[in-house]
Amino acid sequence: MPVPWEALIPFGLVTAMFGVTGTAFNIARRVSNDGKPPRYGLDEWDEMMMERDQRITGSLRGQKSDPTPPENFATNSTWYTKRSI
Amino acid sequence: MATWTKNDASVAPYVDPTPLPPSIPSVEEVGTTSAPLKSAAFFIGAYCKDFNEDFMLCKAENRNPEHCLKEGRKVTRCATDIITKLRENCLAEFDKHWQCLENNNQQYYMCRKPERALNKCVFEKLGLVKAIPGSPQGQPQIHEKTSPIFGAMQK
């Protein structure tokens, strides 16, 4: 008896749909994380360091290994100018 | 305040209304971001141990920021110094290790291979050894274990 290939079409469709949406979601997450996998399990320390990275490089996931800071690093903390009410 | 709060959008550009007086020498802050700092952390600890301990003991006496400015300047200068030395001597291994960390949620256990290369290079060129304080005495340290339980690949 020949193989019932029509019965396998739904499996193929479902696999393709999961694959497409999963890949699209992964790409969306990477685009918002500068092409890297997203960070997870973040505590206050990690969030503080990511904010510091943003003050240095302009992006939460930007990294640079040069120890010379940019010009305005000494004063660009928004601690004093954030809305407190 | 010593607690950190998440910053909201700033409402005005910030101009420092009370800059430090010229009598206090100004030292540039360390401009390295989180992943390279995490990669270099144990070497900073090994190289700058005395300055770091001085600073922490000073802070333990008195939490007033003014009290420990001098020790703080020494810590900053030492950290900048070791990072510069690390980049001069082992730039390729260093870059590889922190880029691996960045791709793995900044977890050390996922990046042992680049770490071994970096530790070897730093030991040869700078003579610094990564030692985790508080690790159990008799056994090899976690980064030296040949077959650890928790690795990149689940068993």
Side-chain angles (χ1 to χ4, degrees):
Chain A
M1 189 182 131
V3 169
W5 58 269
E6 291 95 343
L8 297 174
I9 294 175
F11 286 109
L13 282 174
V14 170
T15 309
M17 285 182 209
F18 269 115
V20 163
T21 50
T23 308
F25 183 53
N26 195 12
I27 291 175
R29 284 194 305 185
R30 283 191 178 236
V31 158
S32 57
N33 278 285
D34 289 358
K36 304 175 197 173
R39 300 277 310 266
Y40 58 93
L42 296 173
D43 54 7
E44 273 200 34
W45 172 267
D46 293 320
E47 289 186 5
M48 181 272 287
M49 289 303 279
M50 285 167 74
E51 192 210 323
R52 179 176 176 274
D53 293 350
Q54 190 172 36
R55 283 168 54 205
I56 294 175
T57 59
S59 138
L60 281 178
R61 299 296 302 273
Q63 301 287 334
K64 90 187 222 303
S65 73
D66 186 9
T68 353
E71 289 290 318
N72 52 356
F73 183 52
T75 53
N76 67 355
S77 166
T78 59
W79 178 267
Y80 293 103
T81 59
K82 77 180 179 94
R83 205 181 279 282
S84 54
I85 294 187
Chain B
M1 271 213 313
T3 50
W4 174 80
T5 54
K6 202 170 170 61
N7 77 334
D8 304 326
S10 87
V11 298
Y14 179 59
V15 178
D16 194 357
T18 52
L20 282 176
S23 57
I24 296 181
S26 84
V27 172
E28 258 194 347
E29 294 292 331
V30 181
T32 315
T33 50
S34 51
L37 273 183
K38 194 158 182 183
S39 175
F42 286 95
F43 303 122
I44 298 176
Y47 188 75
C48 302
K49 183 165 189 277
D50 303 324
F51 301 114
N52 292 348
E53 284 180 354
D54 267 345
F55 181 72
M56 287 197 283
L57 289 170
C58 170
K59 275 290 194 189
E61 286 167 21
N62 184 358
R63 292 298 294 266
N64 188 3
E66 201 186 352
H67 187 234
C68 296
L69 285 177
K70 181 157 160 239
E71 285 83 0
R73 284 195 293 275
K74 287 186 193 163
V75 164
T76 311
R77 270 188 227 125
C78 181
T80 318
D81 191 24
I82 178 65
I83 294 177
T84 318
K85 282 211 176 101
L86 203 52
R87 294 184 81 233
E88 272 167 25
N89 291 312
C90 296
L91 184 61
E93 288 89 351
F94 182 47
D95 273 346
K96 216 155 157 275
H97 185 229
W98 68 254
Q99 274 157 12
C100 174
L101 281 180
E102 243 323 81
N103 288 328
N104 285 296
N105 198 33
Q106 290 194 10
Q107 289 164 327
Y108 282 125
Y109 78 92
M110 300 288 287
C111 293
R112 291 297 179 199
K113 250 177 74 176
E115 191 186 324
R116 256 176 251 135
L118 176 62
N119 289 357
K120 189 155 166 293
C121 173
V122 169
F123 182 60
E124 281 163 11
K125 303 265 178 71
L126 299 172
L128 297 171
V129 172
K130 168 175 167 172
I132 302 174
S135 56
Q137 294 287 354
Q139 309 158 21
Q141 306 225 328
I142 186 66
H143 59 280
E144 288 161 1
K145 278 195 183 172
T146 42
S147 63
I149 299 173
F150 298 108
M153 203 53 119
Q154 191 182 19
K155 290 197 176 142

